[in-house]
Amino acid sequence: MLRSRLPSVSVGGEYGKGLFGREMGPLQDQLCHGEYDLLKFAPMLESDFVQVSKRGEVIDVHNQIQTVTVAVACTSPSLLVPNVLLLARSIFPPEEPLTKLKSFFHPRRPAKRYELTRLFPLCLVRISIHNPEKKQLRFKLASGRTFYLQLCPQPSTQEDI
């Protein structure tokens, strides 16, 4: 029987640890509690990107830059490499009218959630570096459609890049 060389994700003792012993990203954390059984325990790597044109200019939809979370995941422990590309966008729950007393005791903002918008088998996607200086990737799908994404790192992860 083939065994994965990727570290397994333990839900028991080391909850919150993802692939390579790193903290789980917010998308992976949501998927662990979600309705997609295939992705519930899948080790994954994820990052936030913005869509750019072929010339490297940021594409804004309705005068607002849209952040896309991209993740590669391994859906089977018998596989040696990731086999799925996930695209998700962040959504915020609708604002609830807060009473003064409730907002005083619970001043936190609603949690960021994700909507999984695309799931592609990695065998149908060719990922290449489009512009290394600007940290841009090119994604070419089997259908011929191409799109470009630029990494937008979080301030806390600057040193990891």
Side-chain angles (χ1 to χ4, degrees):
M1 180 169 101
L2 288 175
R3 295 204 84 111
S4 174
R5 293 185 186 151
L6 295 172
S8 62
V9 177
S10 169
V11 175
E14 289 193 22
Y15 179 76
K17 290 290 185 184
L19 191 59
F20 305 121
R22 300 180 67 134
E23 293 295 319
M24 273 193 213
L27 176 62
Q28 183 179 11
D29 187 45
Q30 179 180 323
L31 290 173
C32 282
H33 300 96
E35 67 258 11
Y36 300 103
D37 284 336
L38 178 69
L39 302 170
K40 210 171 233 185
F41 302 111
M44 68 178 61
L45 295 172
E46 66 182 79
S47 263
D48 290 334
F49 290 82
V50 292
Q51 190 166 3
V52 294
S53 67
K54 187 174 184 177
R55 292 179 297 200
E57 300 162 347
V58 175
I59 296 174
D60 58 342
V61 180
H62 307 293
N63 297 323
Q64 185 178 13
I65 296 172
Q66 185 74 12
T67 303
V68 177
T69 300
V70 177
V72 289
C74 188
T75 59
S76 170
S78 64
L79 297 173
L80 300 176
V81 294
N83 63 331
V84 193
L85 175 73
L86 307 167
L87 298 178
R89 67 182 182 103
S90 50
I91 56 173
F92 293 94
E95 293 283 330
E96 294 178 3
L98 296 176
T99 64
K100 266 188 165 180
L101 189 59
K102 188 175 180 182
S103 64
F104 178 74
F105 288 112
H106 302 288
R108 62 188 168 105
R109 194 170 179 213
K112 186 183 204 184
R113 306 260 316 148
Y114 291 90
E115 175 185 39
L116 195 58
T117 57
R118 303 282 188 274
L119 188 146
F120 296 110
L122 268 176
C123 62
L124 301 178
V125 181
R126 176 174 284 166
I127 304 171
S128 59
I129 297 172
H130 179 63
N131 185 332
E133 291 84 32
K134 292 184 177 181
K135 297 177 178 74
Q136 295 174 346
L137 297 177
R138 175 181 182 244
F139 294 79
K140 183 163 178 114
L141 306 179
S143 65
R145 181 169 185 257
T146 302
F147 59 96
Y148 302 87
L149 297 175
Q150 180 173 322
L151 182 65
C152 55
Q154 302 298 322
S156 61
T157 59
Q158 279 285 11
E159 69 277 354
D160 293 345
I161 298 175

